[in-house]
Structure formats: C-alpha cells, structure tokens
Amino acid sequence: MTMPAGAVADRLRLMLAEVTGRPEFASVPDETALLHGGVGLDSLAGTLLLRRIQREFGVDVAAEDMNLDALETLATLAAFVAERAGTVS
Amino acid sequence: MIKCVVWDIDNTLLDGVFLESPDQPPPPDAGLLAAARELSDRGILQALASRNPPEAARYVQQATGLQFAAAELGWDSKADAVGRIAASLDIAADAIAFVDDDMLERAEVAAALPDVLVLTPEDAVQAPDWPDFSPPVLTQEGRRRGEMYQARLRRQAEAASFGGSREEFLRHVGTRISIAAARPQDVPRLHELSVRTHQLNSGGAALSEDDLSALLLAGGHQVVTVALADNFGDDGLVGGVIIERNGPGPWRVPVVMVSCRALGRGVLDALLAWMCRAAAASGASSLAVPCLVNARNVPMRLALTTAGLRADQGELSADGRTVFSRSLDGPLPALPAFVSVPGGPA
C-alpha cells in the first residue's frame, strides 16, 4: 500500500522546519527547491532530513537514489517517499 | 579507536557520592582523573552521564579541570544519556567508552548499545595503555578537541536562536574558511584526517605520513588544506583534498576529506566551489570526484550533488568508487566572501 503524496508532503514540511530551525519552512509550497535556492539545505540539514525520513517512513532515499534527484523539490521528494512508504522492498 | 569516554560521577570520577556531602563534595578519584587527563591530552573527548542535578557537572568540571564536551545529568536511563551524547557529538557508538562503578548501569548500557565499550573504573585506569585509546598521531587540533567541542555547544545555542539562512548564520558568527596549498608541517594533521573522517570523506584509502610527504613533493598533484575559524573558536585544519592535475584535461580529485566538526559550516561546499572555479580557470573541461557510496558518507554525497556533480551510471574508478563529475561550462557554484583561496580571490 502506498501513501498519499499530499500527506507525506505535509509531514516533510514539518521535518524541514525542524532540521533547519526555520519554522516558516513548515508552510513552503510544493514546488520549493530543496538544495538550490529555496530551502537551501546544506549537507548537515540534508542528512538529518534523510535520517528522519528513514526513521518515520522506512524509506532510505540515499540508498535508492544515487544522485539524490529526489531532493529537487518538496513535491519530488514527497512523491519518491510516498511511492515507497509502506511497501516491503 | 575510541573518540569519547562517558564517565559516571558518583563513586567513579568522584571518590564518593556527590549528593551525600553537599557542603564538601568528594574529591576526584586520583587514578581515574590521571587517566581522563591523559586521554584528554590525546584528543579523546570526555563526557558525563550521571544521576545527579546539573550542579554536579559544574562541580566535577571545576574539581577536575577537565573540559567536558557533553554532560547528561538527570534521572532517566543511562543508555538514553549515552545515546544522546553520541548523537550530539556525532560520534558512532563503537567509538564511545562508558565507565560506571554500578554493574546494573553497565549492563543496561551494554544491552541497549552493544557497540559501546563498557568499562569498570578499575578497567578505565588501565585504558591509556590500550591501543584503542592510543591515537596514532597527536596534532595541535587533536589536543584542543575538547575545547573546540565547547565552542561548538555555544555556536549551536546561537544557531538555535538565529532566524536566517545557513549562509547568513555563517556570516553572522564571523566564519573564516581558508583554502591553501599544503605545507610540510600539515602532513601529520592530513594523515589524522585521512584516518578519522568518515561522513565527509570520498572514501579513498587512509594516507600515511610518508605517502603525503611524497605527494607534496611529486609533480602532477596538488595537495590542498582547508582551515576553519569563527568568533566562537579556531578549529585549525579541518580538511584536505588531493587533486591530480592533467594539464588542460579534466581535473580528478582522488581524495576529499573534511572533519565532521565542520559539518554544517560551509567548508565542503566552499572546497567544491573553489575546485570547480580553479579547474575552470586553468582551462579544465570537467571535475571528477570518485566517491564511495555508503550509508556513512551521505553528507559527502549531498555536497557533491549540490555542487552539480553527478554519478555517471556504471562508471567506476580503478578502486571501485562511483565517479561523480560535472562539466565546467556554464554557471559555477558561488564562493562566499568569507572564503580565502590560494592566490587571492577566485
């Protein structure tokens, strides 16, 4: 069973606010870039986000996505996680 | 190799029980204090985990003169306390030793964190003689490690109350990143970085001091160091890269290593941006960084992809690492004004 991407995106927004310490990120739009401009995750905040995603959704983004393209925008990350969450791989 | 020793206080680091004599708390245990000082001088961090009020940590710090990188005082589980210390210092459980006189506490930590080395106080007195507590090299940076972790706690407190972007924060705290050609006196520290760094390491083999000295003299290579400081403290040399220069052809970077202390402080991003710009300026067409892909160095891979490098599917280096590369046409990553580079502004 997969999860709705919208629900995953909402959860990811809260995680973004937590790992960056920027509460305003809890309401960024879906098309916000995560690495360049936009949220501007650095390697520390990015790693914390990936660890939380793994803990909460059981999806190891770094292991499945060599170039971390999933981190392009909030929407691409939510879709990537939603597709894999709750499935046994 | 042990990077941090977590000490219990009562009947361990102190020769008695803190709360039993509030007017005159017990003195440090002489044998353990000598061991802790010796380990601290070797660059091994010291931390406290104790069922005591926070005053106990202040008393122990003052009575021992030790700089504690972390202190967990309270009444919840010791295993949780040790886990929080490991997370806050970003040190893996297998690089932590835990010392407690209480058998039940030792058993609880050993059960919950099987990778932690659990010791009785009697064992810990001997620890300085053991190989796991004897780092092969001891550098200026290594000796000052405890002090730097204290600066880190103050920096984190400042970051928690700062609202702006990461780069704005780095400017706000007066970050200074200096990229420079390596000198012969940097060799011991570069060796230490090659042995100790994992999260921000592209996965090359450890480099001996002889290897590094030879590379400094050999033509065809460029060995570069990066130093880091801000208003909270001077971290000294925190990273190094080795660049193979093939004239105007592609630049290949077999070694990238940065201390985890520099995580989140713009160092790796600055190094990668400088390499892109310096390679482009010398007429190179591309920059390639072979990188081991594993769970530990995800921060390294994030920095590579942020700097526009991508893994060519299936392309492996001679030692089996995945090759991340980028063309140097078009826009290059920006270098913040707080970064100084060899030969002046890039």
Side-chain angles (χ1 to χ4, degrees):
Chain A
M1 201 193 80
T2 59
M3 295 183 68
V8 174
D10 285 344
R11 188 67 201 118
L12 294 180
R13 271 186 264 271
L14 293 179
M15 289 185 186
L16 275 178
E18 282 167 22
V19 300
T20 57
R22 310 270 308 269
E24 65 270 28
F25 288 162
S27 53
V28 291
D30 282 357
E31 61 276 15
T32 306
L34 296 183
L35 295 181
H36 300 277
V39 169
L41 286 179
D42 67 1
S43 50
L44 175 61
T47 304
L48 293 174
L49 177 69
L50 296 183
R51 277 190 207 157
R52 282 185 187 223
I53 289 173
Q54 186 171 10
R55 223 170 32 225
E56 190 156 323
F57 296 103
V59 178
D60 188 347
V61 177
E64 296 193 37
D65 182 8
M66 177 82 80
N67 282 309
L68 302 172
D69 292 325
L71 290 171
E72 189 176 349
T73 66
L74 181 65
T76 58
L77 183 59
F80 188 94
V81 172
E83 206 171 284
R84 289 162 179 82
T87 59
V88 180
S89 55
Chain B
M1 191 62 59
I2 297 298
K3 293 184 179 178
C4 177
V5 181
V6 181
W7 300 91
D8 168 50
I9 291 179
D10 291 332
N11 289 320
T12 301
L13 212 41
L14 292 186
D15 187 13
V17 175
F18 178 76
L19 283 178
E20 280 178 5
S21 35
D23 300 332
Q24 182 57 56
D29 176 280
L32 290 178
L33 177 57
R37 282 191 177 143
E38 172 60 29
L39 297 176
S40 183
D41 282 346
R42 295 181 189 176
I44 295 172
L45 297 174
Q46 312 295 312
L48 294 171
S50 170
R51 294 179 197 277
N52 262 309
E55 306 84 273
R58 285 193 287 279
Y59 169 73
V60 172
Q61 178 140 355
Q62 177 216 329
T64 61
L66 291 166
Q67 302 254 17
F68 293 99
E72 286 285 338
L73 283 279
W75 275 267
D76 61 344
S77 121
K78 281 273 170 85
D80 289 351
V82 174
R84 282 195 298 271
I85 289 170
S88 77
L89 299 178
D90 222 336
I91 292 178
D94 65 4
I96 289 186
F98 170 70
V99 186
D100 201 310
D101 65 301
D102 185 313
M103 192 178 66
L104 291 175
E105 307 274 36
R106 291 199 305 272
E108 190 220 336
V109 169
L113 300 165
D115 289 338
V116 168
L117 178 65
V118 175
L119 301 175
T120 63
E122 295 71 38
D123 289 340
V125 173
Q126 312 294 329
D129 296 334
W130 300 346
D132 270 5
F133 291 80
S134 307
V137 279
L138 194 54
T139 60
Q140 172 78 10
E141 283 80 1
R143 274 187 211 100
R144 293 183 46 234
R145 202 162 279 133
E147 187 188 316
M148 290 173 187
Y149 273 86
Q150 294 225 326
R152 171 179 150 137
L153 294 177
R154 294 195 297 276
R155 184 179 302 111
Q156 283 170 346
E158 179 80 14
S161 62
F162 186 83
S165 72
R166 175 57 60 171
E167 192 168 326
E168 285 161 352
F169 177 73
L170 294 177
R171 276 199 299 274
H172 168 72
V173 296
T175 299
R176 300 179 296 285
I177 295 173
S178 313
I179 300 172
R183 303 156 303 170
Q185 60 265 41
D186 300 329
V187 162
R189 175 62 178 155
L190 288 170
H191 165 66
E192 185 179 49
L193 286 166
S194 83
V195 176
R196 286 182 66 107
T197 64
H198 302 286
Q199 298 187 79
L200 296 177
N201 190 310
S202 60
L207 297 159
S208 70
E209 295 198 23
D210 287 347
D211 294 340
L212 284 158
S213 298
L215 282 170
L216 277 186
L217 295 173
H221 283 85
Q222 192 180 6
V223 184
V224 173
T225 61
V226 56
L228 171 67
D230 67 12
N231 298 342
F232 292 97
D234 184 347
D235 285 272
L237 275 195
V238 293
V241 293
I242 296 175
I243 301 165
E244 284 174 15
R245 309 181 61 151
N246 304 327
W251 272 29
R252 197 173 173 85
V253 186
V255 174
V256 180
M257 52 193 189
V258 173
S259 163
C260 68
R261 204 158 60 212
L263 252 181
R265 297 177 63 194
V267 171
L268 188 50
D269 296 330
L271 263 180
L272 289 167
W274 169 73
M275 283 194 284
C276 288
R277 304 181 83 84
S282 77
S285 55
S286 65
L287 177 75
V289 179
C291 180
L292 203 64
V293 173
N294 64 24
R296 282 189 94 170
N297 70 359
V298 170
M300 178 83 217
R301 207 148 36 104
L302 269 163
L304 289 174
T305 54
T306 303
L309 286 90
R310 297 183 58 81
D312 289 327
Q313 300 301 331
E315 193 195 336
L316 295 181
S317 63
D319 57 359
R321 289 183 284 164
T322 301
V323 178
F324 287 74
S325 64
R326 63 162 287 161
S327 146
L328 298 171
D329 298 333
L332 299 172
L335 206 54
F338 52 72
V339 182
S340 68
V341 300

